[in-house]
Amino acid sequence: MATFNVLIDPEPYFTGMRKKLINAFVVFIVAFLPGNRLKAQNSIVQEGEFGFGIGAGHYFGDLNTRARLNRPKIAGTVFFRKNMGNYIALRVGVSFAQLGYSDQYNTHNTYMYTRNLSFNTNVWELALQGDFNFFRFMPGEPEYSFTPYITLGAGVFSYDPYAYLRGEKIYLRPLGTEGQGSSLYPDRKQYGSMAICIPFGAGIKYAFNERMNIAFEVLHRFTTTDYLDDVSTTYVDPAAFPPNPDGSTSNAQLLSDRSYELGDPIGIPGRQRGNSKQKDQFVTAMVHLTFNLQSYHCPSAK
């Protein structure tokens, strides 16, 4: 029987394997070169913003019925904004505003000027808002670096009005200057130190670069209280304010009707002291500086 030995040349096989290994190695090196890694990760996503603002606040209510902007006071805020896209965002923030007014500014109205009431208060607010950009806003992209926007939300705030009497700072809420807590006026309960507000406003913002933005915003608050200024209803009977132990007139009575400081008192029981049909409001105007929070997403193969 004849025997046939078939010899297989291994060179073509190993040559093919070498080529495949070399090609795979080249692909691996090219794919993970630093330059290519940067290209694979150059999709920057603006997740949100952390920022602060400084500006002024103003009060509108029973002592400022014409919504004059003649006595602004300091205001500030710190907030976080979560982007839901290029147009919509949710914001949570804490704000502070000093508010106050005096009847001495009401020279246009003789009765209000003679009423001679005044107040100041510090407001602390916690609010959740939704922001809507009119234009696509993409920091780092010059053509999308500017937009006007509107904002609407809900919040809760604390307040505690006070006034000065003979140079002494006196908080008004515990005094019941409109008969709150007096047995003569059982329907008038002491108002709380917290209330709900509906912030509504508009602004414009501009991105310096992909990291930092600046904005200007005006935010108006509708509130659920008419006692931001400690003024709401009518004057009450002086008997609602018991005298001090030494027989002197109580601070409550002196601060309930201060028209005596200018002449004859006008605080006749039942006479209008404020307007209970309209709640107090306040507004802030601030410049915001924000810092973008970013993530890097690899671009899709598509």
Side-chain angles (χ1 to χ4, degrees):
M1 177 181 294
T3 302
F4 296 92
N5 294 325
V6 179
L7 298 177
I8 301 176
D9 184 3
E11 185 61 23
Y13 174 80
F14 286 110
T15 300
M17 286 295 295
R18 280 198 299 270
K19 289 181 179 179
K20 291 180 180 180
L21 289 174
I22 291 172
N23 291 337
F25 182 76
V26 170
V27 170
F28 179 84
I29 293 298
V30 171
F32 286 90
L33 282 174
N36 287 285
R37 291 183 66 183
L38 290 177
K39 290 179 181 179
Q41 295 180 352
N42 67 354
S43 179
I44 300 175
V45 177
Q46 303 292 348
E47 299 289 355
E49 302 167 59
F50 174 79
F52 64 92
I54 189 74
H58 209 289
Y59 142 90
F60 310 120
D62 298 282
L63 273 64
N64 183 17
T65 57
R66 292 193 174 186
R68 291 185 170 184
L69 294 169
N70 55 343
R71 289 298 181 273
K73 297 179 180 292
I74 190 71
T77 187
V78 177
F79 60 91
F80 170 73
R81 179 186 285 120
K82 172 62 178 177
N83 293 335
M84 313 304 292
N86 297 325
Y87 292 95
I88 299 175
L90 291 177
R91 185 202 323 183
V92 60
V94 176
S95 301
F96 168 79
Q98 290 183 341
L99 305 174
Y101 211 74
S102 170
D103 274 333
Q104 293 305 293
Y105 309 139
N106 291 319
T107 55
H108 63 283
N109 186 305
T110 302
Y111 178 79
M112 294 177 67
Y113 180 85
T114 305
R115 185 177 58 179
N116 195 37
L117 296 175
S118 64
F119 86 101
N120 287 279
T121 188
N122 294 328
V123 170
W124 288 95
E125 174 196 62
L126 174 64
L128 177 65
Q129 297 168 229
D131 298 346
F132 175 77
N133 299 329
F134 285 97
F135 306 148
R136 180 181 296 177
F137 189 67
M138 300 175 65
E141 299 290 336
E143 63 270 32
Y144 302 121
S145 61
F146 167 82
T147 184
Y149 66 92
I150 58 173
T151 182
L152 175 67
V156 59
F157 68 95
S158 65
Y159 66 105
D160 202 358
Y162 61 89
Y164 289 93
L165 180 64
R166 296 185 290 265
E168 180 184 359
K169 179 180 178 180
I170 300 175
Y171 285 94
L172 299 169
R173 187 171 68 93
L175 301 182
T177 56
E178 293 188 348
Q180 302 97 327
S182 170
S183 59
L184 297 179
Y185 299 89
D187 58 323
R188 298 189 181 185
K189 307 299 182 182
Q190 187 180 68
Y191 59 88
S193 61
M194 299 188 71
I196 295 172
C197 63
I198 304 297
F200 172 75
I204 54 174
K205 59 182 178 179
Y206 172 78
F208 288 123
N209 49 49
E210 65 184 30
R211 292 290 186 179
M212 186 180 300
N213 316 308
I214 191 170
F216 175 73
E217 179 180 282
V218 176
L219 196 59
H220 188 98
R221 280 83 164 184
F222 301 95
T223 79
T224 60
T225 181
D226 192 33
Y227 281 105
L228 194 60
D229 47 19
D230 192 62
V231 179
S232 179
T233 56
T234 61
Y235 288 102
V236 296
D237 191 325
F241 310 115
N244 295 323
D246 62 0
S248 60
T249 304
S250 67
N251 287 339
Q253 183 174 344
L254 292 173
L255 291 170
S256 175
D257 177 14
R258 304 192 69 169
S259 58
Y260 64 88
E261 296 177 348
L262 300 180
D264 295 332
I266 65 171
I268 300 172
R271 175 176 285 180
Q272 184 178 10
R273 187 172 186 261
N275 180 9
S276 60
K277 295 181 179 180
Q278 185 172 349
K279 305 299 184 182
D280 296 330
Q281 305 169 34
F282 66 98
V283 65
T284 56
M286 297 192 209
V287 175
H288 294 169
L289 185 64
T290 63
F291 302 90
N292 297 317
L293 304 177
Q294 303 172 334
S295 65
Y296 297 87
H297 291 183
C298 292
S300 170
K302 297 181 181 180

